[in-house]
């Protein structure tokens, strides 16, 4: 028999639930045979026996039996249509039992109703038939013990009791035997029940074990599969990781290499001059210190040669900056080939070079300097040009002239300046007499270090007046240093030192800020302030930022700030300087070309410079009075052509003023109008400068400046603080 209602739903149902369903299944499985046997046996019995009172009652009984079997068959049919696996076992058993017990009841009615009218043989046959039916049911109905026992009892006991009630001895014997048989059947039903239920339970438990084992096997398989996949993923990720590590290692190695190259390049940049490849200042100073240490130990001398090219400015101006750069490179080459190994060479500034070398004595140092001067004077092939370079060389010796590297360089510098003073293209050894100059310089340098912190610096303001109206147009901010011991020190003396020592940067920023702050406080918000900017500041690359900081801090409008620069700004570094001033002009700041006409002026490239105003130098103004105004006129017509304005500096006399005004100079600056005045006096100056009530115009040909203003200029010469 195939067990249904099995635990296919898994292990969710208990064993007992499954066993109950199995019992119901067993009952129904045998039910068909039981119904058939019942129908067959009851029909045979009803048709073969003949009761004394006629067959009518028997037929009714048979009909009742058939109806019961029909109902049971219907139940059987419904059984086959039930859900196969999940059904209510106990309910099914009860339904089956009701059907079976209805059959049993009909069977039980048979001896009660018909035995008294039957012949003995028929009665005995009926008892045997009922016993046989009961015996069959003892095992078939064993899954439900109560049903099996009740069925046997219903089939046997009424027949047996009917037989015992008979007076015939054989009947009584059969009745007794039947009762005994009933007991045997009850016992065997019980045994069959226990055996079948035990087998079912065992089967179910076994099935559970198998299911459990199967589930575990599947779980193990799944786990194994997962493990395999994980292992594979692990292997793959390991592989990937390894590849990544290899790649990263290669990348890192590459990065390290690039970094090293960068570091090397940076170190090279930091230590060398990019144009010539020679040492820069810092490196040279360090190496010189080492050279001196060795010399001190070996008791030898070190010569420091300070070279300055005399005609470099002209080369730059005439042949262009490209050629200028090539000349500087060529000079570096010449120096390199003419000094002994172990010597140190540096480019110190624009056209300044330094050489440091061990020498036997000062004659050897002088010879070397002479040789270098001669070698440089040889014609140089630079591109398609042939260039001759002249150099002035100052020489200082360690330990004779100085022992510290800074002092030694300064001594060579002093010697070089002295040589220049005497005439260019010379070699000059440091003269101890020059030492006092040096000491002076050194003292100023030391003093300058604390000047800002000790508030020894201040600004004086010199008016720049309009030639047309005679009214103040702007003030030039001029730096003043009140030295605690020396009194006022001229900016001409300390600014070059500040530039050489790098202090100019800090000072220049202070000047910018102070000038803007002062200007922002002036009562007339149309008056501009002009500030002198040194080359060194431009080369630091922070000028734009510093100007912006000063404007932001003071609140001064950019159009009120003007910057004075000199042509030397563009010497050799036009490429770097020009965009800075273009950017400042774009912000509304005007650029003035200061000291125009001194030394290097080249009218030829004036048009290329980013300037708005030319300031004709004082020397020109003075010379013009003596030599005529042709040059000034040339400058003026060029300025007009280039759309630039012209201010004349150092105007001291009325004649100068009038002549310059007639020629078209737009503004004046000079002692005629005012010396530089302390900041505190600017306000009073501006008050006095306020426009006078209109007066009738002067006769034709007279100056454009109102009489009022002119008398004011002449009367007013505030003394500089
Ligand atoms: P500069 O910029 O050409 O300034 C004009 C100089 O000529 C000032 O000298 C001024 O006092 C002087 N001066 C003005 N009018 C006359 C005159 O009629 N006759 C004579 N004999 N001199 C006159 P100062 O103040 O001694 O300045 C000298 C130079 O120092 C300035 O020349 C400028 O190049 C530099 N300087 C001054 N202040 C600063 C500054 O803040 N930064 C920088 N980098 N340089 C400055
Ligand atoms: Mg100036
Ligand atoms: Mg000037």
């Amino acid at each position: 028999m195939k067990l249904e209602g099995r635990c296919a739903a898994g292990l969710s149902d208990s064993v007992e639930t499954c066993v109950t369903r199995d019992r119901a299944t067993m009952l129904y499985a045998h039910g068909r045979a039981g119904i058939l046997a019942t129908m067959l046996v009851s029909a045979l019995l009803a048709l073969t026996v003949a009761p004394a009172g006629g067959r009518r009652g028997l037929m009714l009984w048979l009909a009742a039996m058939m109806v019961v079997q029909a109902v049971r068959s219907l139940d059987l049919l419904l059984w086959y249509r039930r859900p196969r696996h999940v059904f209510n076992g106990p309910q099914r058993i009860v339904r089956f039992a009701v059907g079976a017990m209805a059959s049993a009841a009909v069977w039980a009615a048979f001896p009660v109703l018909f035995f008294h009218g039957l012949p003995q043989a028929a009665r005995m046959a009926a008892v045997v038939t009922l016993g046989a039916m009961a015996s069959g049911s003892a095992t078939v109905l064993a899954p439900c013990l109560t049903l099996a026992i009740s069925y046997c009892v219903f089939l046997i006991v009424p027949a047996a009791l009917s037989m015992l009630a008979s007076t015939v001895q054989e009947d009584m014997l059969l009745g007794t035997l039947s009762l005994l048989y009933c007991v045997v059947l009850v016992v065997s039903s019980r045994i069959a029940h226990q055996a079948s239920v035990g087998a079912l339970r065992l089967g179910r438990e076994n099935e559970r074990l198998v299911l459990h084992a199967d589930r575990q096997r599947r779980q193990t398989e799944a786990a194994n599969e997962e493990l395999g996949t994980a292992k594979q993923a692990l292997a793959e990720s390991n592989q990937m990781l390894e590849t990544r590590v290899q790649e990263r290692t290669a990348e890192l190695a590459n990065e390290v290499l690039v970094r090293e190259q960068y570091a090397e390049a940076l170190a090279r940049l930091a230590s060398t001059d990019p144009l010539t490849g020679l040492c820069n200042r810092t490196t040279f100073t360090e190496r010189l210190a080492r050279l001196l240490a060795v010399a001190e130990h070996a008791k030898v001398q070190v010569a420091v040669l300070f070279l300055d090219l005399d005609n470099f400015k002209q080369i730059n101006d005439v042949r262009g900056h490209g050629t200028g750069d090539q000349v500087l490179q060529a000079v570096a080459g010449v120096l390199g080939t003419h000094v002994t190994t172990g010597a140190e060479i540096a480019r110190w500034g624009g056209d300044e070079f330094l050489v440091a070398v061990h020498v036997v004595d000062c004659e050897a140092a002088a010879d070397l300097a002479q040789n270098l001067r001669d070698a440089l004077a040889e014609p140089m092939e630079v591109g398609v040009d042939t260039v001759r370079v002249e150099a002035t060389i100052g020489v200082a010796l360690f330990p004779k002239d100085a022992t510290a590297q800074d002092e030694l360089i300064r001594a060579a510098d002093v010697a070089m300046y002295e040589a220049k003073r005497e005439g260019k293209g010379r070699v000059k050894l440091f003269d101890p007499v020059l030492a006092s100059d040096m000491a002076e310089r050194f003292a100023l340098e030391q003093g300058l270090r604390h000047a800002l912190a000790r508030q020894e610096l201040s600004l004086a303001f010199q008016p720049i007046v309009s030639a047309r109206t005679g009214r103040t147009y702007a003030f030039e901010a001029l730096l003043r240093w009140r030295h605690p011991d020396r009194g006022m020190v001229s900016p001409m003396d300390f600014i070059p030192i500040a530039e050489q020592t790098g202090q100019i940067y800090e000072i220049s920023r202070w000047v910018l800020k102070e000038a803007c702050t002062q200007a922002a406080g002036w009562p007339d918000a149309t008056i501009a302030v002009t500030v002198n900017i040194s080359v060194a500041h431009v080369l630091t690359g922070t000028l734009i930022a510093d100007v912006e900081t000063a404007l932001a801090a003071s609140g001064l409008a950019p159009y009120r700030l003007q910057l004075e620069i000199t042509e030397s700004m563009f010497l050799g570094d036009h490429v770097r300087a020009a965009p800075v001033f273009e950017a400042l002009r774009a912000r509304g700041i005007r650029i003035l070309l200061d000291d125009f006409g001194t030394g290097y002026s080249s009218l030829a490239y004036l048009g290329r410079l980013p300037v708005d105003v030319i300031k004709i130098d004082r020397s020109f103004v003075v010379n013009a009075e003596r030599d005529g105004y042709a040059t000034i006129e040339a400058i003026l017509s060029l300025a007009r052509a280039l759309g630039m304005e012209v201010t004349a500096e150092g105007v001291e006399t009325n004649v100068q003023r009038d002549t310059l005004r007639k020629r078209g100079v737009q503004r004046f600056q000079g002692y005629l109008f005012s010396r530089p005045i302390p900041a505190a006096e600017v306000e009073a100056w501006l008050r006095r400068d306020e426009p006078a009530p209109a007066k009738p115009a002067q006769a034709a040909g007279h100056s454009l400046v109102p009489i009022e203003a002119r008398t004011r200029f002449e009367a007013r010469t505030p003394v500089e603080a």
Side-chain angles (χ1 to χ4, degrees):
M1 180 201 68
K2 189 171 171 228
L3 287 177
E4 289 183 351
R6 58 192 295 131
C7 300
L11 303 172
S12 55
D13 293 326
S14 70
V15 171
E16 280 317 314
T17 308
C18 292
V19 168
T20 309
R21 285 193 198 127
D22 291 347
R23 282 164 54 210
T25 308
M26 278 178 83
L27 288 172
Y28 275 99
H30 298 132
R32 200 169 34 180
I35 290 167
L36 274 175
T38 307
M39 286 164 82
L40 216 64
V41 172
S42 60
L44 263 173
L45 199 63
L47 294 175
T48 48
V49 294
R55 304 185 68 87
R56 201 168 155 267
L58 205 58
M59 285 306 119
L60 278 173
W61 175 83
L62 184 61
M65 183 61 93
M66 288 307 163
V67 168
V68 169
Q69 296 320 307
V71 172
R72 288 185 69 196
S73 300
L74 202 66
D75 183 43
L76 199 67
L77 265 177
L78 290 175
W79 162 258
Y80 285 114
R81 289 172 168 248
R82 80 198 187 283
R84 284 184 66 77
H85 299 301
V86 182
F87 59 91
N88 191 333
Q91 195 190 56
R92 285 290 176 176
I93 290 174
V94 170
R95 265 170 74 170
F96 184 85
V98 169
M101 285 313 292
S103 290
V106 178
W107 278 123
F110 186 84
V112 176
L113 295 174
F114 304 115
F115 265 22
H116 58 272
L118 285 180
Q120 190 190 13
R123 274 200 311 269
M124 289 175 79
V127 167
V128 171
T129 305
L130 286 171
M133 288 296 287
S135 134
S137 66
T139 31
V140 167
L141 301 180
C144 179
L145 183 60
T146 323
L147 178 61
I149 292 170
S150 309
Y151 197 85
C152 289
V153 170
F154 266 56
L155 256 69
I156 296 173
V157 174
L161 291 178
S162 298
M163 293 300 263
L164 283 173
S166 168
T167 48
V168 183
Q169 202 176 353
E170 285 88 354
D171 281 356
M172 287 169 69
L173 183 67
L174 195 59
T176 310
L177 282 175
S178 293
L179 282 177
L180 280 175
Y181 186 56
C182 183
V183 172
V184 171
L185 282 182
V186 166
V187 172
S188 72
S189 298
R190 194 182 170 76
I191 292 166
H193 171 77
Q194 281 171 347
S196 65
V197 169
L200 285 173
R201 190 170 284 124
L202 218 65
R204 284 300 182 184
E205 276 171 358
N206 193 36
E207 183 195 55
R208 276 187 170 241
L209 279 176
V210 170
L211 263 176
H212 198 261
D214 192 44
R215 186 173 286 189
Q216 274 193 340
R217 183 183 51 76
R218 270 189 276 117
Q219 279 177 349
T220 312
E221 272 171 15
N224 276 342
E225 205 169 307
E226 271 175 31
L227 202 70
T229 319
K231 262 187 188 168
Q232 196 176 337
L234 196 72
E236 275 168 19
S237 71
N238 268 345
Q239 181 64 39
M240 240 167 64
L241 208 68
E242 210 167 296
T243 319
R244 190 74 200 99
V245 164
Q246 279 169 0
E247 282 170 6
R248 190 69 194 121
T249 311
E251 276 171 22
L252 277 177
N254 201 33
E255 268 173 37
V256 167
L257 195 72
V258 171
R259 263 164 214 248
E260 277 171 6
Q261 283 169 351
Y262 272 149
E264 226 171 80
L266 274 178
R268 220 179 13 253
L269 262 181
S271 64
T272 56
D273 165 52
L275 181 66
T276 57
L278 298 176
C279 297
N280 61 15
R281 284 182 178 221
T282 322
T283 319
F284 181 81
T285 317
E286 283 166 14
R287 294 193 185 171
L288 178 58
R290 284 211 290 273
L291 216 61
L292 297 187
V294 172
E296 194 172 18
H297 194 255
K299 302 279 179 256
V300 289
Q301 301 192 45
V302 173
V304 172
L305 281 62
F306 201 113
L307 287 92
D308 186 280
L309 306 186
D310 298 326
N311 56 341
F312 184 67
K313 167 73 186 134
Q314 283 89 328
I315 295 171
N316 242 348
D317 290 348
V318 177
R319 306 189 193 226
H321 295 276
T323 309
D325 287 351
Q326 284 177 306
V327 167
L328 292 174
Q329 287 165 340
V331 168
V334 171
L335 296 180
T337 49
H338 284 78
V339 295
T340 52
T341 18
E344 299 293 350
I345 313 171
R347 181 171 171 219
W348 195 247
D351 59 352
E352 294 170 341
F353 294 84
L354 275 177
V355 174
V357 63
H358 284 139
V359 286
V360 188
D361 51 23
C362 66
E363 277 76 31
D367 285 349
L368 174 65
Q370 205 70 47
N371 286 344
L372 289 179
R373 196 195 67 93
D374 296 345
L376 289 172
E378 290 291 316
M380 283 178 190
E381 300 293 329
V382 176
V384 287
D385 289 334
T386 304
V387 182
R388 269 175 200 279
V389 175
E390 280 175 31
T392 302
I393 306 177
V395 183
L397 282 163
F398 167 89
K400 184 169 76 69
D401 300 327
T403 48
Q405 70 269 25
D406 290 355
E407 286 172 26
L408 201 58
I409 294 170
R410 216 173 294 118
D413 189 10
V414 168
M416 192 276 291
Y417 268 105
E418 193 57 24
K420 279 236 166 153
R421 221 170 47 80
E422 289 175 9
K424 294 174 176 177
R426 289 163 190 262
V427 168
K428 185 154 184 79
L429 296 180
F430 178 75
D431 182 343
V433 181
L434 300 174
S436 63
D437 288 0
M438 231 176 89
E440 169 83 7
R441 244 173 99 89
F442 189 68
L444 283 183
E445 192 184 309
Q446 292 306 312
L448 204 52
R449 279 190 207 289
H450 313 291
L452 252 186
R454 291 176 185 162
Q455 299 185 335
E456 291 164 11
L457 297 183
S458 64
L459 291 184
F461 292 90
Q462 188 177 28
I464 298 170
V465 301
S466 157
R468 198 171 57 80
T469 65
R471 296 196 57 229
T472 307
Y473 162 81
F475 282 95
E476 177 172 7
L478 293 160
L479 188 56
R480 296 292 175 259
W481 179 19
R482 188 183 291 279
H483 192 284
D485 309 321
R486 296 156 189 259
M488 295 307 288
V489 182
S490 165
M492 307 288 265
D493 293 331
F494 71 83
I495 283 188
I497 297 175
E499 281 177 343
Q500 275 176 12
T501 55
Q503 294 166 60
I504 190 69
Y505 174 58
E506 205 186 341
I507 292 174
S508 199
R509 282 207 301 180
W510 178 84
V511 170
L512 258 175
K513 226 177 204 163
E514 180 67 12
C516 290
T517 310
Q518 290 291 340
W522 292 339
D524 186 342
T526 62
I527 308 287
V529 65
T530 78
V531 176
N532 293 284
I533 298 296
S534 94
V535 188
H537 192 176
V538 179
L539 295 183
T540 55
T542 64
L543 181 62
I544 297 176
D546 294 339
V547 165
E548 277 173 351
T549 310
L551 287 175
S554 61
L556 188 74
Y559 68 84
R560 290 184 62 198
L561 176 64
Q562 306 189 349
L563 303 180
E564 295 196 8
I565 58 174
T566 56
E567 287 166 273
S568 59
M569 197 76 72
F570 301 98
L571 253 189
D573 247 317
H574 183 269
V575 179
R576 271 171 77 188
V580 173
F581 295 111
E582 290 293 7
L584 289 165
R585 286 173 87 196
R587 285 165 170 79
I589 294 159
R590 307 190 90 201
I591 309 297
L592 284 63
L593 191 60
D594 203 359
D595 303 341
F596 189 77
T598 52
Y600 316 115
S601 301
S602 167
L603 298 178
Y605 71 87
L606 188 60
R608 301 214 310 265
L609 302 184
V611 295
D612 304 283
V613 182
I614 296 169
K615 287 186 86 176
I616 301 178
D617 189 63
R618 183 165 58 90
S619 58
F620 255 113
V621 175
V622 174
N623 293 345
E625 232 179 342
R626 197 183 57 224
D627 306 335
Y629 285 85
T631 319
I632 289 187
E633 273 177 357
I635 295 173
L636 279 164
S637 67
L638 190 70
R640 262 195 297 275
L642 296 172
M644 295 174 180
E645 294 169 358
V646 177
T647 298
E649 289 186 290
V651 179
E652 294 185 348
T653 67
N654 290 328
V655 178
Q656 284 169 349
R657 180 200 63 201
D658 294 342
T659 324
L660 289 167
R661 183 167 49 212
K662 266 188 218 145
R663 281 174 167 79
V665 170
Q666 283 105 335
R667 277 168 221 115
F668 303 128
Q669 180 181 0
Y671 292 172
L672 176 65
F673 308 99
S674 170
R675 285 177 181 266
I677 55 172
E681 289 174 23
V682 171
E683 204 172 323
W685 167 273
L686 284 174
R687 289 240 168 74
R688 271 181 282 154
D689 193 43
E690 270 162 17
K695 292 246 167 156
Q698 297 295 302
H702 276 217
S703 132
L704 286 169
V705 177
I707 293 285
E708 181 88 351
R710 241 191 300 162
T711 39
R712 258 195 355 237
F713 294 153
E714 278 139 28
R716 190 173 54 186
T717 48
V719 180
E720 190 182 345

